[in-house]
């Protein structure tokens, strides 16, 4: 059995490392899996260390994400050829055979069996030297998860899956239908997070605002119950679809100090023609109305958006419409993605595919606009008093933290300030 781990080692010296790629949801799940390993006698080490087991939690949102996963797996195998490499996550769910062909991989476990990673690794280490693919079954279960690796912030998974089936997206294939954990359970999770001294919770999911589909509850009721949890001083909503961001939610957030003035709202395109081709559930008029509502209730709100450039059918005219819409909208941040063909999606076979050079040029233009808009937002906040939660990371003698409206602040490192919310003048 020892040969399945580090040569010359023993049970007590088993070490596990996690490499997490992709979204905040993956980080919450990796952290929960890591706690299971530690509770069962493993020592957790960094992914750059020699470990007996490497767990790779993958993303598959773009072709680049797939290649990044492949490269990471090969690097871990070179690091320790004797290690068990277990691959899970969206890439594992969508392309298990492709992953099994990578040297060193012993386990491929889809999103629907992610909670079984420890069990399957234990079976392998017990002498069953097999490669097991557990993906491909239904994805209707839900794995409860929250992160506890950071002393200041936790990502709490409240929802999984998506029923939207946008033309470019494989997430419904990888994550299954929209479903959620009940409010009572999530309140217990939040209390557990608070007991660890963590001050901020980020609510995360695949389609977070769709919360309640499987329990007959709703997202606003979840926010109201979480607000009552003692010890948690700040909540952020990681991302919410514009059609699900209601005025009731916006108004309630504005009136409750624990919920921060920070909204990340996926836009994807500022052209109504492209939004229709993408099968999005709104147009630019509705999106603009939601942003105006946020600013009416919270003039200081940080608003971030996602944008895909180079979607099939996006010519110069459509891109310019999108660019000009963003200039008018003036979000504080634009997260730009070049469109990437994904197998088994309608967009992959659409006409008028955009060449890579044009995509690259459009990314650069939007990133330049993002810098202008972000600088403009930060400048508008200068001189104001704000509250910052400082994190444990130290770089160059500085500590870092974020204001309630997501402005990054740096100050000379002061250990006594870590994990505390401190008033500063920006």
């Amino acid at each position: 059995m020892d040969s399945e781990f580090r040569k010359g080692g023993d049970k007590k010296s088993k070490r596990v490392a996690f490499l997490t790629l992709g979204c905040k949801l993956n980080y919450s799940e990796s952290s929960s899996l890591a706690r299971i390993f530690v509770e069962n006698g493993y020592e957790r080490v960094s992914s750059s260390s020699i470990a007996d087991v490497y767990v790779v939690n993958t993303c598959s949102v773009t072709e680049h994400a797939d290649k990044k996963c492949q490269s990471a797996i090969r690097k871990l195998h070179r690091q320790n050829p004797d290690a068990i490499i277990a691959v899970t996550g969206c890439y594992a769910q969508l392309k298990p055979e492709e992953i099994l062909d990578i040297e060193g991989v012993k386990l491929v476990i889809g999103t629907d069996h992610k909670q079984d990673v420890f069990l399957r690794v234990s079976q392998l280490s017990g002498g069953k030297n097999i490669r097991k693919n557990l993906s491909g079954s239904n994805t209707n279960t839900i794995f409860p998860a929250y992160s506890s690796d950071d002393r200041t912030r936790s990502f709490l998974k409240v929802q999984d899956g998506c029923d939207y089936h946008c033309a470019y997206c494989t997430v419904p294939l990888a994550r299954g239908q929209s479903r959620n954990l009940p409010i009572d359970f999530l309140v217990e999770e939040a209390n557990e997070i608070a007991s660890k001294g963590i001050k901020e919770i980020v609510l995360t999911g695949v389609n977070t605002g769709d919360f309640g589909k499987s329990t007959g509850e709703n997202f606003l009721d979840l926010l109201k119950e979480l607000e009552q949890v003692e010890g948690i001083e700040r909540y952020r909503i990681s991302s919410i679809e514009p059609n699900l961001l209601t005025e009731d939610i916006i108004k309630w957030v504005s009136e409750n100090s624990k919920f921060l003035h920070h909204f990340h709202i996926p836009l994807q395109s500022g052209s109504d023609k492209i939004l229709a081709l993408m099968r999005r559930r709104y147009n630019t008029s509705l999106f603009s109305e939601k942003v105006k509502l946020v600013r009416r209730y919270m003039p200081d709100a940080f608003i971030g958006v996602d944008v895909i450039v180079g979607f099939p059918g996006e010519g110069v005219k459509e891109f310019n419409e999108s660019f000009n819409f963003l200039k008018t909208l003036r979000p504080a941040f634009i997260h730009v993605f070049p469109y990437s063909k994904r197998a088994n999606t309608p967009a992959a076979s659409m006409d008028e595919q955009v060449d890579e050079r044009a995509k690259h040029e459009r990314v650069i233009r939007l990133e330049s606009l993002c810098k202008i808009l972000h600088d403009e937002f930060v400048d508008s906040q200068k001189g104001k008093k704000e509250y910052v939660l400082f994190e444990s990371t130290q770089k160059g003698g500085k500590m870092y933290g974020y204001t309630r409206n997501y402005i990054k602040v740096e100050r000379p490192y002061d250990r006594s300030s870590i994990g505390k919310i401190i008033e500063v003048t920006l």
Side-chain angles (χ1 to χ4, degrees):
M1 183 169 108
D2 289 344
S3 62
E4 293 293 332
F5 292 95
R6 193 176 339 105
K7 291 181 180 179
D10 55 35
K11 281 186 178 182
K12 294 181 181 179
S13 63
K14 289 184 293 187
R15 309 204 309 173
V16 63
F18 282 77
L19 180 62
T20 305
L21 305 166
C23 63
K24 294 178 177 69
L25 192 57
N26 270 2
Y27 280 90
S28 70
E29 292 171 339
S30 289
S31 186
S32 291
L33 289 172
R35 288 195 296 274
I36 295 172
F37 275 84
V38 170
E39 288 164 5
N40 283 276
Y42 278 77
E43 176 191 357
R44 187 179 181 183
V45 298
S46 73
S47 61
S48 60
S49 302
I50 301 298
D52 306 296
V53 178
Y54 294 105
V55 179
V56 184
N57 196 355
T58 62
C59 173
S60 191
V61 70
T62 64
E63 183 181 3
H64 175 71
D66 289 355
K67 290 178 178 176
K68 188 174 180 180
C69 293
Q70 295 165 14
S71 177
I73 292 166
R74 293 187 181 102
K75 182 179 178 182
L76 294 174
H77 180 58
R78 290 194 299 271
Q79 209 162 274
N80 183 9
D82 295 326
I84 291 174
I85 298 180
V87 184
T88 188
C90 290
Y91 184 30
Q93 182 73 27
L94 295 170
K95 299 180 180 179
E97 298 304 324
E98 187 171 290
I99 297 171
L100 282 171
D101 286 337
I102 302 173
E103 187 177 4
V105 174
K106 298 283 177 38
L107 277 169
V108 179
I109 303 172
T111 56
D112 47 354
H113 284 289
K114 192 175 281 190
Q115 66 269 32
D116 294 335
V117 169
F118 174 76
L119 173 64
R120 302 308 177 185
V121 167
S122 297
Q123 290 175 343
L124 268 184
S125 64
K128 298 178 181 179
N129 192 15
I130 58 173
R131 298 194 298 176
K132 178 73 172 175
N133 167 31
L134 291 171
S135 64
S137 59
N138 74 74
T139 50
N140 294 332
T141 57
I142 183 165
F143 171 36
Y146 68 83
S147 65
S148 56
D149 307 324
D150 188 323
R151 286 171 54 191
T152 55
R153 180 181 298 109
S154 174
F155 297 110
L156 173 61
K157 175 180 175 180
V158 302
Q159 183 273 345
D160 205 342
C162 185
D163 297 337
Y164 279 14
H165 298 281
C166 298
Y168 52 83
C169 188
T170 58
V171 169
L173 302 175
R175 287 278 185 174
Q177 67 189 35
S178 179
R179 58 208 187 278
N180 58 277
L181 295 153
I183 290 175
D184 287 350
F185 178 85
L186 292 168
V187 169
E188 289 178 13
E189 295 272 85
N191 276 303
E192 193 171 312
I193 292 167
S195 72
K196 299 178 185 295
I198 294 170
K199 295 289 193 296
E200 181 177 315
I201 288 178
V202 181
L203 305 179
T204 186
V206 173
N207 188 354
T208 311
D210 205 34
F211 178 90
K213 271 285 183 73
S214 55
T215 58
E217 298 167 311
N218 66 64
F219 190 55
L220 182 54
D221 285 342
L222 171 65
L223 304 187
K224 290 177 178 178
E225 291 300 318
L226 289 174
E227 196 270 341
Q228 302 297 318
V229 175
E230 294 184 10
I232 301 300
E233 299 183 38
R234 314 209 311 184
Y235 289 96
R236 292 186 193 274
I237 301 168
S238 64
S239 180
I240 186 166
E241 292 285 318
N243 54 301
L244 298 174
L245 182 58
T246 65
E247 183 169 2
D248 286 343
I249 291 173
I250 294 167
K251 184 174 184 292
W252 194 87
V253 168
S254 73
E255 294 170 347
N256 288 270
S257 60
K258 282 190 178 184
F259 282 82
L260 305 183
H261 296 184
H262 174 202
F263 291 88
H264 189 90
I265 316 171
L267 170 62
Q268 310 308 9
S269 177
S271 162
D272 285 334
K273 171 190 167 183
I274 300 302
L275 287 174
L277 288 171
M278 288 177 166
R279 303 183 184 178
R280 300 294 285 164
R281 300 191 176 199
Y282 54 87
N283 56 23
T284 53
S285 176
L286 184 144
F287 196 96
S288 182
E289 286 173 14
K290 294 303 173 78
V291 170
K292 287 175 183 175
L293 267 177
V294 171
R295 287 176 172 153
R296 184 198 307 169
Y297 285 102
M298 292 165 276
D300 65 335
F302 183 106
I303 298 172
V305 302
D306 291 330
V307 176
I308 296 171
V309 299
F311 187 81
E314 185 191 71
V316 172
K317 176 178 177 290
E318 290 77 20
F319 174 73
N320 285 336
E321 286 175 354
S322 195
F323 186 89
N324 291 329
F325 179 72
L326 286 161
K327 279 182 69 177
T328 302
L329 194 71
R330 309 200 82 74
F333 190 80
I334 308 169
H335 197 177
V336 189
F337 301 85
Y339 166 72
S340 178
K341 272 189 183 183
R342 308 309 290 146
N344 302 312
T345 62
S349 57
M350 284 182 177
D351 295 332
E352 299 182 74
Q353 297 285 331
V354 179
D355 68 76
E356 296 304 314
R357 181 175 178 180
K359 291 179 193 176
H360 181 66
E361 290 171 351
R362 292 171 191 180
V363 167
I364 291 173
R365 282 192 65 192
L366 281 184
E367 285 180 342
S368 297
L369 177 61
C370 174
K371 185 178 187 313
I372 292 168
L373 296 177
H374 185 259
D375 288 349
E376 178 184 274
F377 178 77
V378 171
D379 287 344
S380 74
Q381 303 298 303
K382 285 183 178 176
K384 295 184 178 181
K385 290 189 181 296
E386 249 300 344
Y387 291 92
V388 178
L389 176 58
F390 283 104
E391 302 175 9
S392 56
T393 302
Q394 179 183 184
K395 291 182 181 178
K398 301 284 188 179
M399 62 181 182
Y400 301 84
Y402 287 90
T403 63
R404 293 172 295 184
N405 58 348
Y406 208 60
I407 294 175
K408 189 175 183 179
V409 174
E410 69 172 37
R411 290 288 187 272
Y413 185 79
D414 174 11
R415 188 174 180 179
S416 65
S417 298
I418 300 303
K420 294 181 180 177
I421 296 172
I422 297 174
E423 186 181 53
V424 302
T425 300
L426 299 178

